[in-house]
Amino acid sequence: MSRRGLLRASLLGSGVLAGCSTAPGGSSFAPSPQLVPIRARIDRILDIAVCLRPFRPAGPRVDTERLGDTLVVHNYGHGGSGWSLSWGSSARAVRLAMQASPGEVAVIGCGILGLTSAILAQRAGARVTIYAREQLPLTTSARATGEWTPDSRVALANAAAPGFAAVWEEMARTAFKAHRNYLGLPGTPVEWIDQYSVADDAPRSGGAGAPPGPDFADYSKSIADLVPKWRRVPADATPFKAGAVARSEAMIFNISDYGHTLLNDFFIAGGQFRRAEFHTPSQISALGKKVVINCTGYGARALWKDETLTPVRGQIARLIPQPDVRYLVIYRHVLAVPRRDGIVVQSFEGGEGEGYGDTNEAPDRAEAERAVTTLAELFQPASGRV
Ligand SMILES: Cc1cc2nc3c(=O)[nH]c(=O)nc-3n(C[C@H](O)[C@H](O)[C@H](O)COP(=O)(O)OP(=O)(O)OC[C@H]3O[C@@H](n4cnc5c(N)ncnc54)[C@H](O)[C@@H]3O)c2cc1C
C-alpha cells in the first residue's frame, strides 16, 4: 500500500490495515527493534515551515523552447514529488540540453531540480553556472518533508499528458537508482528506515474520510517492485497505544545534509553560482548562453506565464531531533519522519487536496500543535517516558 493509500485509509479509521499481508506462518514475525518513543510535545516544536508545491495538472514540464539563440530546457512543476523524481527528471532535461553540444550550461534555479540538473550537466562534460534568487537552504525544496514519494501530487488523472505514465515511471526508476548513491555517506543524506502505520481499535466517531479533493494520478503500481510491502506486527510488541500496527520500510532524505552534499559536489566540480532574479524570459536570453535549463519551480508561473502551475500549500513542523528515534510513523492523519535535523510532523487532516490553490505561506501554529498532540496520544500509556 502506498503512503497515499495509507493516509486515505487512516482517515477512515480502523480499515487502515486491510490488505496488509501477515508475516509468513503468522507467529514467525521478526520482533520490532526497541523503539524509542517520540517526545511529542508542543514545547519541542523548533520550526514551522510552509511551502507551495509547484503542481501542474499535466505533470512536470520537461521540454524545450527556443528563445532567440538560446535553447531553453524546462524542468519544473513537480508538485509533491520534486525530491523523489529530481534525478530522473533532471536526467531527461540534461539529455535534451546536451543534444546542442554546449561547452557551457546555465541553470536557472537552485532548488533540488536546479542542483541535480547542474550536477548531471557537469557529469556530461559542461561547465555550469547556476543563476538563482535563492540557494537551496532558502528555497521551497528546503521546506519539504523528505520522503520518497514519487507520485505525490504529480499530475491529475484526467489531465496528465498522453504517455506521461511511462515517462513518470522512467523518471522514478532513474531517480531511485541515483538516490542509492547517497546511502551510507557521512551525514546520512539518504537512508532507509522502518515505517509503522498505526490504527486505533475502533473507527472514530464521525468516521468521515478526507474531503473529496482533486483526482491526483496514482502511478504507484508500476513501481511496486521498488517498494517494500506492509506486514502486520503485534501491537503489543511496539510502544504504540494501538489496536493494529503494520510495518514496512521507507527511503527518507535528510534534507539539510542532502542539500549540503549536493551544493558541495557542485562547487567541487567547478560550478559557479550567481545571485540573480529574472522577471522576463528576455532577461534570460540576454545572458547570451547557448543552453539554459529552467528549474524555477513555482517561480515559472510568473516568469514563464505558466498559469497551469497551481500552488498546493503544505506545512511541516519540526521537533527537536531525537537521534535514537529511527522509525517513521503514520497515525490518524499525522505523519512523523525522524530526519536527522528534527522530527518532521505533518498533518493531512484535510486530505491530499488540502492546500490546493492556496498561496498562503503563513505558518499555522494551531495546525502544528494539533498534529503534535495527536502524535502524543500514540505514546500515552507511557507518557512518563516522553
Ligand atoms: C510541505 C511539503 C512537503 C514536501 N515533501 C516532499 C517529499 O517528502 N518528497 C518529495 O519528493 N517532494 C516533496 N515536496 C515537493 C518538493 O518540495 C518540490 O517538488 C520541490 O522542492 C520543487 O523543487 P524545485 O527545485 O522545482 O523548486 P524550488 O525549490 O522552489 O527552487 C526554485 C529555484 O528557482 C529560483 N527562482 C524562482 N523564480 C526565479 C526567478 N524569477 N529568478 C531567479 N530565480 C528564480 C528560486 O530562487 C530557487 O532557487 C514537498 C513540498 C511541500 C510543500
mmCIF file of all heavy atoms in Angstrom, residues 3 51-54 78-84 108-114 131-134 139-141 143-147 149 253 276-278 295-299 303 312 314-316 346, ligand 1:
data_model
loop_
_atom_site.group_PDB
_atom_site.id
_atom_site.type_symbol
_atom_site.label_atom_id
_atom_site.label_comp_id
_atom_site.label_asym_id
_atom_site.label_seq_id
_atom_site.Cartn_x
_atom_site.Cartn_y
_atom_site.Cartn_z
ATOM 1 N N ARG A 3 1.985 5.281 0.604
ATOM 2 C CA ARG A 3 1.705 6.164 1.721
ATOM 3 C C ARG A 3 0.376 6.866 1.488
ATOM 4 O O ARG A 3 -0.404 7.074 2.380
ATOM 5 C CB ARG A 3 2.818 7.205 1.836
ATOM 6 C CG ARG A 3 2.583 8.108 3.047
ATOM 7 C CD ARG A 3 3.662 9.144 3.167
ATOM 8 N NE ARG A 3 3.147 10.442 2.844
ATOM 9 C CZ ARG A 3 3.923 11.480 2.585
ATOM 10 N NH1 ARG A 3 5.213 11.351 2.585
ATOM 11 N NH2 ARG A 3 3.410 12.643 2.303
ATOM 12 N N CYS A 51 5.383 25.723 2.475
ATOM 13 C CA CYS A 51 5.784 25.993 1.093
ATOM 14 C C CYS A 51 4.677 25.624 0.139
ATOM 15 O O CYS A 51 3.710 24.961 0.506
ATOM 16 C CB CYS A 51 7.100 25.312 0.743
ATOM 17 S SG CYS A 51 7.004 23.548 0.508
ATOM 18 N N LEU A 52 4.838 26.077 -1.098
ATOM 19 C CA LEU A 52 3.838 25.823 -2.134
ATOM 20 C C LEU A 52 4.398 24.776 -3.090
ATOM 21 O O LEU A 52 5.422 25.010 -3.736
ATOM 22 C CB LEU A 52 3.535 27.111 -2.901
ATOM 23 C CG LEU A 52 3.148 28.333 -2.045
ATOM 24 C CD1 LEU A 52 2.863 29.532 -2.936
ATOM 25 C CD2 LEU A 52 1.948 28.033 -1.149
ATOM 26 N N ARG A 53 3.726 23.645 -3.164
ATOM 27 C CA ARG A 53 4.169 22.628 -4.133
ATOM 28 C C ARG A 53 3.865 23.160 -5.532
ATOM 29 O O ARG A 53 2.744 23.599 -5.791
ATOM 30 C CB ARG A 53 3.423 21.313 -3.901
ATOM 31 C CG ARG A 53 3.628 20.720 -2.514
ATOM 32 C CD ARG A 53 2.729 19.495 -2.326
ATOM 33 N NE ARG A 53 2.865 18.913 -1.010
ATOM 34 C CZ ARG A 53 2.111 19.250 0.048
ATOM 35 N NH1 ARG A 53 1.184 20.186 -0.081
ATOM 36 N NH2 ARG A 53 2.286 18.656 1.202
ATOM 37 N N PRO A 54 4.847 23.098 -6.441
ATOM 38 C CA PRO A 54 4.616 23.615 -7.805
ATOM 39 C C PRO A 54 3.934 22.551 -8.663
ATOM 40 O O PRO A 54 4.583 21.770 -9.349
ATOM 41 C CB PRO A 54 6.038 23.914 -8.295
ATOM 42 C CG PRO A 54 6.911 22.951 -7.524
ATOM 43 C CD PRO A 54 6.212 22.613 -6.245
ATOM 44 N N HIS A 78 6.974 19.946 -10.334
ATOM 45 C CA HIS A 78 6.996 18.565 -9.827
ATOM 46 C C HIS A 78 6.100 18.341 -8.618
ATOM 47 O O HIS A 78 6.211 17.307 -7.950
ATOM 48 C CB HIS A 78 8.454 18.157 -9.518
ATOM 49 C CG HIS A 78 9.326 18.151 -10.735
ATOM 50 N ND1 HIS A 78 9.787 19.312 -11.307
ATOM 51 C CD2 HIS A 78 9.781 17.142 -11.499
ATOM 52 C CE1 HIS A 78 10.506 19.024 -12.386
ATOM 53 N NE2 HIS A 78 10.513 17.713 -12.520
ATOM 54 N N GLY A 79 5.225 19.275 -8.314
ATOM 55 C CA GLY A 79 4.234 19.079 -7.258
ATOM 56 C C GLY A 79 4.852 18.596 -5.956
ATOM 57 O O GLY A 79 5.798 19.191 -5.432
ATOM 58 N N GLY A 80 4.334 17.490 -5.423
ATOM 59 C CA GLY A 80 4.836 16.953 -4.153
ATOM 60 C C GLY A 80 5.882 15.879 -4.337
ATOM 61 O O GLY A 80 6.131 15.074 -3.438
ATOM 62 N N SER A 81 6.514 15.844 -5.519
ATOM 63 C CA SER A 81 7.447 14.757 -5.857
ATOM 64 C C SER A 81 8.822 15.239 -6.265
ATOM 65 O O SER A 81 9.611 14.454 -6.804
ATOM 66 C CB SER A 81 6.871 13.943 -7.036
ATOM 67 O OG SER A 81 5.575 13.526 -6.774
ATOM 68 N N GLY A 82 9.114 16.525 -6.025
ATOM 69 C CA GLY A 82 10.337 17.097 -6.578
ATOM 70 C C GLY A 82 11.616 16.424 -6.108
ATOM 71 O O GLY A 82 12.518 16.155 -6.911
ATOM 72 N N TRP A 83 11.720 16.170 -4.801
ATOM 73 C CA TRP A 83 12.930 15.496 -4.318
ATOM 74 C C TRP A 83 12.991 14.083 -4.888
ATOM 75 O O TRP A 83 14.040 13.631 -5.345
ATOM 76 C CB TRP A 83 12.939 15.429 -2.784
ATOM 77 C CG TRP A 83 13.414 16.695 -2.166
ATOM 78 C CD1 TRP A 83 12.658 17.793 -1.861
ATOM 79 C CD2 TRP A 83 14.766 17.031 -1.811
ATOM 80 N NE1 TRP A 83 13.453 18.781 -1.328
ATOM 81 C CE2 TRP A 83 14.744 18.342 -1.273
ATOM 82 C CE3 TRP A 83 15.986 16.356 -1.874
ATOM 83 C CZ2 TRP A 83 15.892 18.987 -0.812
ATOM 84 C CZ3 TRP A 83 17.127 17.007 -1.412
ATOM 85 C CH2 TRP A 83 17.082 18.298 -0.900
ATOM 86 N N SER A 84 11.873 13.402 -4.844
ATOM 87 C CA SER A 84 11.872 11.995 -5.251
ATOM 88 C C SER A 84 12.269 11.843 -6.714
ATOM 89 O O SER A 84 13.112 11.019 -7.053
ATOM 90 C CB SER A 84 10.472 11.411 -5.028
ATOM 91 O OG SER A 84 10.072 11.616 -3.700
ATOM 92 N N ILE A 108 18.888 27.912 -14.297
ATOM 93 C CA ILE A 108 18.172 28.939 -13.526
ATOM 94 C C ILE A 108 17.436 28.217 -12.408
ATOM 95 O O ILE A 108 16.564 27.387 -12.663
ATOM 96 C CB ILE A 108 17.144 29.713 -14.399
ATOM 97 C CG1 ILE A 108 17.747 30.134 -15.735
ATOM 98 C CG2 ILE A 108 16.606 30.915 -13.617
ATOM 99 C CD1 ILE A 108 18.823 31.157 -15.673
ATOM 100 N N GLY A 109 17.798 28.531 -11.172
ATOM 101 C CA GLY A 109 17.155 27.897 -10.023
ATOM 102 C C GLY A 109 18.126 27.014 -9.278
ATOM 103 O O GLY A 109 18.927 26.286 -9.880
ATOM 104 N N CYS A 110 18.059 27.107 -7.953
ATOM 105 C CA CYS A 110 18.980 26.335 -7.112
ATOM 106 C C CYS A 110 18.210 25.577 -6.027
ATOM 107 O O CYS A 110 18.624 25.474 -4.893
ATOM 108 C CB CYS A 110 20.025 27.273 -6.505
ATOM 109 S SG CYS A 110 21.411 26.395 -5.775
ATOM 110 N N GLY A 111 17.035 25.050 -6.409
ATOM 111 C CA GLY A 111 16.341 24.093 -5.571
ATOM 112 C C GLY A 111 16.838 22.697 -5.943
ATOM 113 O O GLY A 111 17.899 22.556 -6.573
ATOM 114 N N ILE A 112 16.080 21.689 -5.607
ATOM 115 C CA ILE A 112 16.565 20.323 -5.852
ATOM 116 C C ILE A 112 16.618 20.009 -7.358
ATOM 117 O O ILE A 112 17.534 19.323 -7.809
ATOM 118 C CB ILE A 112 15.738 19.262 -5.066
ATOM 119 C CG1 ILE A 112 16.374 17.887 -5.200
ATOM 120 C CG2 ILE A 112 14.269 19.236 -5.479
ATOM 121 C CD1 ILE A 112 17.807 17.810 -4.738
ATOM 122 N N LEU A 113 15.685 20.586 -8.140
ATOM 123 C CA LEU A 113 15.752 20.327 -9.587
ATOM 124 C C LEU A 113 16.925 21.056 -10.219
ATOM 125 O O LEU A 113 17.614 20.506 -11.093
ATOM 126 C CB LEU A 113 14.427 20.729 -10.264
ATOM 127 C CG LEU A 113 13.323 19.655 -10.306
ATOM 128 C CD1 LEU A 113 13.811 18.377 -10.974
ATOM 129 C CD2 LEU A 113 12.745 19.353 -8.965
ATOM 130 N N GLY A 114 17.203 22.287 -9.762
ATOM 131 C CA GLY A 114 18.338 23.031 -10.311
ATOM 132 C C GLY A 114 19.655 22.358 -9.978
ATOM 133 O O GLY A 114 20.519 22.187 -10.839
ATOM 134 N N TYR A 131 22.189 30.367 -11.858
ATOM 135 C CA TYR A 131 21.665 31.705 -11.573
ATOM 136 C C TYR A 131 20.376 31.529 -10.787
ATOM 137 O O TYR A 131 19.477 30.796 -11.235
ATOM 138 C CB TYR A 131 21.321 32.452 -12.874
ATOM 139 C CG TYR A 131 22.517 32.709 -13.758
ATOM 140 C CD1 TYR A 131 22.994 31.720 -14.617
ATOM 141 C CD2 TYR A 131 23.156 33.952 -13.751
ATOM 142 C CE1 TYR A 131 24.093 31.954 -15.431
ATOM 143 C CE2 TYR A 131 24.250 34.197 -14.571
ATOM 144 C CZ TYR A 131 24.714 33.191 -15.410
ATOM 145 O OH TYR A 131 25.796 33.433 -16.212
ATOM 146 N N ALA A 132 20.259 32.157 -9.625
ATOM 147 C CA ALA A 132 19.023 31.999 -8.858
ATOM 148 C C ALA A 132 18.855 33.108 -7.850
ATOM 149 O O ALA A 132 19.829 33.713 -7.402
ATOM 150 C CB ALA A 132 19.009 30.653 -8.129
ATOM 151 N N ARG A 133 17.600 33.306 -7.518
ATOM 152 C CA ARG A 133 17.283 34.292 -6.471
ATOM 153 C C ARG A 133 17.748 33.754 -5.114
ATOM 154 O O ARG A 133 18.283 34.451 -4.299
ATOM 155 C CB ARG A 133 15.769 34.501 -6.476
ATOM 156 C CG ARG A 133 15.274 35.747 -5.801
ATOM 157 C CD ARG A 133 13.795 35.950 -6.095
ATOM 158 N NE ARG A 133 13.035 34.723 -5.929
ATOM 159 C CZ ARG A 133 11.955 34.412 -6.627
ATOM 160 N NH1 ARG A 133 11.493 35.217 -7.551
ATOM 161 N NH2 ARG A 133 11.325 33.285 -6.402
ATOM 162 N N GLU A 134 17.505 32.436 -4.869
ATOM 163 C CA GLU A 134 17.895 31.839 -3.578
ATOM 164 C C GLU A 134 18.643 30.528 -3.803
ATOM 165 O O GLU A 134 18.357 29.802 -4.752
ATOM 166 C CB GLU A 134 16.654 31.488 -2.731
ATOM 167 C CG GLU A 134 15.805 32.669 -2.304
ATOM 168 C CD GLU A 134 14.438 32.665 -2.971
ATOM 169 O OE1 GLU A 134 14.178 31.787 -3.821
ATOM 170 O OE2 GLU A 134 13.632 33.565 -2.664
ATOM 171 N N THR A 139 15.084 27.831 -0.396
ATOM 172 C CA THR A 139 14.072 27.579 -1.419
ATOM 173 C C THR A 139 12.940 26.711 -0.876
ATOM 174 O O THR A 139 13.024 26.150 0.220
ATOM 175 C CB THR A 139 14.690 26.844 -2.620
ATOM 176 O OG1 THR A 139 15.140 25.572 -2.149
ATOM 177 C CG2 THR A 139 15.854 27.593 -3.220
ATOM 178 N N THR A 140 11.924 26.556 -1.701
ATOM 179 C CA THR A 140 10.819 25.629 -1.412
ATOM 180 C C THR A 140 11.369 24.254 -1.060
ATOM 181 O O THR A 140 10.884 23.588 -0.144
ATOM 182 C CB THR A 140 9.930 25.488 -2.672
ATOM 183 O OG1 THR A 140 9.324 26.740 -2.908
ATOM 184 C CG2 THR A 140 8.872 24.425 -2.517
ATOM 185 N N SER A 141 12.377 23.837 -1.799
ATOM 186 C CA SER A 141 12.899 22.479 -1.617
ATOM 187 C C SER A 141 13.341 22.220 -0.185
ATOM 188 O O SER A 141 13.206 21.106 0.326
ATOM 189 C CB SER A 141 14.077 22.233 -2.569
ATOM 190 O OG SER A 141 13.637 22.279 -3.905
ATOM 191 N N ARG A 143 11.958 23.113 2.386
ATOM 192 C CA ARG A 143 10.831 23.015 3.313
ATOM 193 C C ARG A 143 10.001 21.752 3.069
ATOM 194 O O ARG A 143 8.868 21.634 3.506
ATOM 195 C CB ARG A 143 9.971 24.281 3.197
ATOM 196 C CG ARG A 143 10.799 25.546 3.482
ATOM 197 C CD ARG A 143 9.961 26.761 3.773
ATOM 198 N NE ARG A 143 9.309 27.332 2.601
ATOM 199 C CZ ARG A 143 9.862 28.225 1.788
ATOM 200 N NH1 ARG A 143 11.108 28.639 1.986
ATOM 201 N NH2 ARG A 143 9.192 28.701 0.769
ATOM 202 N N ALA A 144 10.580 20.793 2.368
ATOM 203 C CA ALA A 144 9.867 19.533 2.080
ATOM 204 C C ALA A 144 9.970 18.566 3.259
ATOM 205 O O ALA A 144 10.796 18.739 4.153
ATOM 206 C CB ALA A 144 10.453 18.896 0.825
ATOM 207 N N THR A 145 9.140 17.540 3.205
ATOM 208 C CA THR A 145 9.130 16.539 4.281
ATOM 209 C C THR A 145 10.388 15.682 4.243
ATOM 210 O O THR A 145 10.998 15.402 5.275
ATOM 211 C CB THR A 145 7.892 15.627 4.129
ATOM 212 O OG1 THR A 145 6.750 16.447 3.934
ATOM 213 C CG2 THR A 145 7.699 14.744 5.344
ATOM 214 N N GLY A 146 10.737 15.216 3.036
ATOM 215 C CA GLY A 146 11.945 14.414 2.892
ATOM 216 C C GLY A 146 11.692 12.933 2.790
ATOM 217 O O GLY A 146 12.413 12.120 3.346
ATOM 218 N N GLU A 147 10.671 12.567 2.021
ATOM 219 C CA GLU A 147 10.347 11.154 1.857
ATOM 220 C C GLU A 147 10.337 10.799 0.378
ATOM 221 O O GLU A 147 10.034 11.653 -0.466
ATOM 222 C CB GLU A 147 8.927 10.923 2.397
ATOM 223 C CG GLU A 147 8.817 9.824 3.402
ATOM 224 C CD GLU A 147 7.378 9.382 3.527
ATOM 225 O OE1 GLU A 147 6.490 10.240 3.648
ATOM 226 O OE2 GLU A 147 7.143 8.179 3.475
ATOM 227 N N THR A 149 8.463 9.916 -2.309
ATOM 228 C CA THR A 149 7.032 9.950 -2.655
ATOM 229 C C THR A 149 6.908 10.327 -4.135
ATOM 230 O O THR A 149 6.444 11.419 -4.465
ATOM 231 C CB THR A 149 6.299 11.016 -1.809
ATOM 232 O OG1 THR A 149 6.982 12.277 -1.983
ATOM 233 C CG2 THR A 149 6.267 10.662 -0.337
ATOM 234 N N PHE A 253 14.945 11.348 2.951
ATOM 235 C CA PHE A 253 16.004 12.287 2.589
ATOM 236 C C PHE A 253 16.225 13.227 3.763
ATOM 237 O O PHE A 253 15.283 13.896 4.204
ATOM 238 C CB PHE A 253 15.591 13.113 1.360
ATOM 239 C CG PHE A 253 15.080 12.290 0.212
ATOM 240 C CD1 PHE A 253 13.867 12.589 -0.396
ATOM 241 C CD2 PHE A 253 15.803 11.194 -0.260
ATOM 242 C CE1 PHE A 253 13.388 11.825 -1.458
ATOM 243 C CE2 PHE A 253 15.331 10.421 -1.317
ATOM 244 C CZ PHE A 253 14.115 10.739 -1.921
ATOM 245 N N ALA A 276 20.728 36.046 -8.899
ATOM 246 C CA ALA A 276 20.048 36.818 -9.943
ATOM 247 C C ALA A 276 18.553 36.578 -9.871
ATOM 248 O O ALA A 276 18.116 35.490 -9.493
ATOM 249 C CB ALA A 276 20.553 36.399 -11.334
ATOM 250 N N GLU A 277 17.798 37.600 -10.218
ATOM 251 C CA GLU A 277 16.348 37.432 -10.301
ATOM 252 C C GLU A 277 15.902 37.864 -11.683
ATOM 253 O O GLU A 277 16.277 38.948 -12.154
ATOM 254 C CB GLU A 277 15.654 38.275 -9.219
ATOM 255 C CG GLU A 277 14.145 38.194 -9.339
ATOM 256 C CD GLU A 277 13.418 38.566 -8.059
ATOM 257 O OE1 GLU A 277 14.060 39.137 -7.156
ATOM 258 O OE2 GLU A 277 12.211 38.269 -7.973
ATOM 259 N N PHE A 278 15.119 37.023 -12.340
ATOM 260 C CA PHE A 278 14.661 37.324 -13.700
ATOM 261 C C PHE A 278 13.169 37.628 -13.671
ATOM 262 O O PHE A 278 12.411 36.949 -12.973
ATOM 263 C CB PHE A 278 14.933 36.130 -14.624
ATOM 264 C CG PHE A 278 16.392 35.753 -14.671
ATOM 265 C CD1 PHE A 278 16.887 34.735 -13.853
ATOM 266 C CD2 PHE A 278 17.269 36.417 -15.506
ATOM 267 C CE1 PHE A 278 18.228 34.388 -13.864
ATOM 268 C CE2 PHE A 278 18.627 36.079 -15.521
ATOM 269 C CZ PHE A 278 19.109 35.066 -14.708
ATOM 270 N N CYS A 295 14.812 25.770 -14.054
ATOM 271 C CA CYS A 295 14.360 24.985 -12.886
ATOM 272 C C CYS A 295 13.836 25.937 -11.830
ATOM 273 O O CYS A 295 14.315 25.947 -10.695
ATOM 274 C CB CYS A 295 15.518 24.173 -12.306
ATOM 275 S SG CYS A 295 16.326 23.106 -13.498
ATOM 276 N N THR A 296 12.861 26.753 -12.218
ATOM 277 C CA THR A 296 12.410 27.807 -11.305
ATOM 278 C C THR A 296 11.209 27.383 -10.466
ATOM 279 O O THR A 296 10.633 28.222 -9.753
ATOM 280 C CB THR A 296 12.103 29.102 -12.095
ATOM 281 O OG1 THR A 296 11.338 28.771 -13.257
ATOM 282 C CG2 THR A 296 13.379 29.794 -12.516
ATOM 283 N N GLY A 297 10.796 26.144 -10.516
ATOM 284 C CA GLY A 297 9.713 25.677 -9.652
ATOM 285 C C GLY A 297 8.469 26.532 -9.817
ATOM 286 O O GLY A 297 8.081 26.898 -10.938
ATOM 287 N N TYR A 298 7.874 26.901 -8.691
ATOM 288 C CA TYR A 298 6.648 27.708 -8.743
ATOM 289 C C TYR A 298 6.925 29.081 -9.362
ATOM 290 O O TYR A 298 6.026 29.725 -9.899
ATOM 291 C CB TYR A 298 6.057 27.845 -7.330
ATOM 292 C CG TYR A 298 4.710 28.515 -7.328
ATOM 293 C CD1 TYR A 298 3.611 27.901 -7.928
ATOM 294 C CD2 TYR A 298 4.544 29.785 -6.771
ATOM 295 C CE1 TYR A 298 2.380 28.529 -7.970
ATOM 296 C CE2 TYR A 298 3.313 30.419 -6.804
ATOM 297 C CZ TYR A 298 2.239 29.782 -7.400
ATOM 298 O OH TYR A 298 1.021 30.409 -7.454
ATOM 299 N N GLY A 299 8.183 29.518 -9.314
ATOM 300 C CA GLY A 299 8.567 30.800 -9.916
ATOM 301 C C GLY A 299 8.282 30.850 -11.413
ATOM 302 O O GLY A 299 8.154 31.939 -11.989
ATOM 303 N N LEU A 303 7.369 33.919 -14.152
ATOM 304 C CA LEU A 303 8.443 34.165 -15.123
ATOM 305 C C LEU A 303 8.039 33.708 -16.522
ATOM 306 O O LEU A 303 8.311 34.388 -17.509
ATOM 307 C CB LEU A 303 9.716 33.441 -14.654
ATOM 308 C CG LEU A 303 10.944 33.563 -15.532
ATOM 309 C CD1 LEU A 303 11.350 35.023 -15.711
ATOM 310 C CD2 LEU A 303 12.113 32.776 -14.926
ATOM 311 N N VAL A 312 0.062 24.212 -4.233
ATOM 312 C CA VAL A 312 -0.577 23.318 -3.254
ATOM 313 C C VAL A 312 0.169 23.539 -1.941
ATOM 314 O O VAL A 312 1.291 23.045 -1.750
ATOM 315 C CB VAL A 312 -0.534 21.834 -3.685
ATOM 316 C CG1 VAL A 312 -1.318 20.981 -2.676
ATOM 317 C CG2 VAL A 312 -1.101 21.645 -5.085
ATOM 318 N N GLY A 314 1.591 23.443 1.696
ATOM 319 C CA GLY A 314 1.880 22.361 2.641
ATOM 320 C C GLY A 314 2.681 22.905 3.801
ATOM 321 O O GLY A 314 3.440 23.873 3.644
ATOM 322 N N GLN A 315 2.503 22.312 4.960
ATOM 323 C CA GLN A 315 3.210 22.784 6.159
ATOM 324 C C GLN A 315 3.836 21.611 6.893
ATOM 325 O O GLN A 315 3.233 20.550 7.011
ATOM 326 C CB GLN A 315 2.214 23.488 7.088
ATOM 327 C CG GLN A 315 2.811 23.836 8.449
ATOM 328 C CD GLN A 315 1.900 24.703 9.290
ATOM 329 O OE1 GLN A 315 1.556 25.817 8.895
ATOM 330 N NE2 GLN A 315 1.522 24.223 10.472
ATOM 331 N N ILE A 316 5.045 21.831 7.378
ATOM 332 C CA ILE A 316 5.664 20.840 8.266
ATOM 333 C C ILE A 316 6.102 21.544 9.549
ATOM 334 O O ILE A 316 6.472 22.718 9.530
ATOM 335 C CB ILE A 316 6.885 20.130 7.628
ATOM 336 C CG1 ILE A 316 7.973 21.136 7.242
ATOM 337 C CG2 ILE A 316 6.482 19.286 6.435
ATOM 338 C CD1 ILE A 316 9.311 20.490 6.881
ATOM 339 N N GLN A 346 3.766 16.215 10.179
ATOM 340 C CA GLN A 346 2.951 16.808 9.123
ATOM 341 C C GLN A 346 1.514 16.324 9.257
ATOM 342 O O GLN A 346 1.277 15.127 9.453
ATOM 343 C CB GLN A 346 3.522 16.397 7.761
ATOM 344 C CG GLN A 346 2.920 17.157 6.609
ATOM 345 C CD GLN A 346 3.642 16.858 5.300
ATOM 346 O OE1 GLN A 346 4.493 15.970 5.238
ATOM 347 N NE2 GLN A 346 3.309 17.578 4.266
HETATM 348 C C1 LIG B 1 5.109 20.570 2.744
HETATM 349 C C2 LIG B 1 5.801 19.932 1.565
HETATM 350 C C3 LIG B 1 6.345 18.670 1.700
HETATM 351 C C4 LIG B 1 7.002 18.060 0.610
HETATM 352 N N1 LIG B 1 7.526 16.836 0.795
HETATM 353 C C5 LIG B 1 8.140 16.206 -0.228
HETATM 354 C C6 LIG B 1 8.691 14.911 -0.036
HETATM 355 O O1 LIG B 1 8.643 14.341 1.058
HETATM 356 N N2 LIG B 1 9.273 14.291 -1.108
HETATM 357 C C7 LIG B 1 9.327 14.897 -2.335
HETATM 358 O O2 LIG B 1 9.825 14.283 -3.268
HETATM 359 N N3 LIG B 1 8.851 16.146 -2.536
HETATM 360 C C8 LIG B 1 8.234 16.812 -1.508
HETATM 361 N N4 LIG B 1 7.715 18.066 -1.693
HETATM 362 C C9 LIG B 1 7.779 18.693 -3.027
HETATM 363 C C10 LIG B 1 9.126 19.350 -3.288
HETATM 364 O O3 LIG B 1 9.473 20.157 -2.179
HETATM 365 C C11 LIG B 1 9.039 20.198 -4.554
HETATM 366 O O4 LIG B 1 8.521 19.453 -5.623
HETATM 367 C C12 LIG B 1 10.454 20.676 -4.926
HETATM 368 O O5 LIG B 1 11.037 21.321 -3.821
HETATM 369 C C13 LIG B 1 10.453 21.590 -6.118
HETATM 370 O O6 LIG B 1 11.817 21.899 -6.349
HETATM 371 P P1 LIG B 1 12.271 22.962 -7.433
HETATM 372 O O7 LIG B 1 13.742 22.876 -7.496
HETATM 373 O O8 LIG B 1 11.484 22.775 -8.680
HETATM 374 O O9 LIG B 1 11.758 24.359 -6.848
HETATM 375 P P2 LIG B 1 12.349 25.326 -5.716
HETATM 376 O O10 LIG B 1 12.914 24.578 -4.588
HETATM 377 O O11 LIG B 1 11.254 26.302 -5.432
HETATM 378 O O12 LIG B 1 13.536 26.083 -6.433
HETATM 379 C C14 LIG B 1 13.290 27.082 -7.401
HETATM 380 C C15 LIG B 1 14.558 27.875 -7.617
HETATM 381 O O13 LIG B 1 14.328 28.826 -8.647
HETATM 382 C C16 LIG B 1 14.657 30.129 -8.174
HETATM 383 N N5 LIG B 1 13.776 31.068 -8.858
HETATM 384 C C17 LIG B 1 12.433 31.013 -8.980
HETATM 385 N N6 LIG B 1 11.985 32.044 -9.714
HETATM 386 C C18 LIG B 1 13.078 32.763 -10.057
HETATM 387 C C19 LIG B 1 13.275 33.954 -10.805
HETATM 388 N N7 LIG B 1 12.254 34.605 -11.348
HETATM 389 N N8 LIG B 1 14.536 34.426 -10.957
HETATM 390 C C20 LIG B 1 15.594 33.775 -10.394
HETATM 391 N N9 LIG B 1 15.455 32.643 -9.680
HETATM 392 C C21 LIG B 1 14.218 32.156 -9.514
HETATM 393 C C22 LIG B 1 14.456 30.064 -6.674
HETATM 394 O O14 LIG B 1 15.180 31.091 -6.019
HETATM 395 C C23 LIG B 1 15.022 28.680 -6.396
HETATM 396 O O15 LIG B 1 16.417 28.725 -6.343
HETATM 397 C C24 LIG B 1 7.068 18.727 -0.641
HETATM 398 C C25 LIG B 1 6.537 20.005 -0.775
HETATM 399 C C26 LIG B 1 5.911 20.610 0.312
HETATM 400 C C27 LIG B 1 5.331 21.973 0.147
#
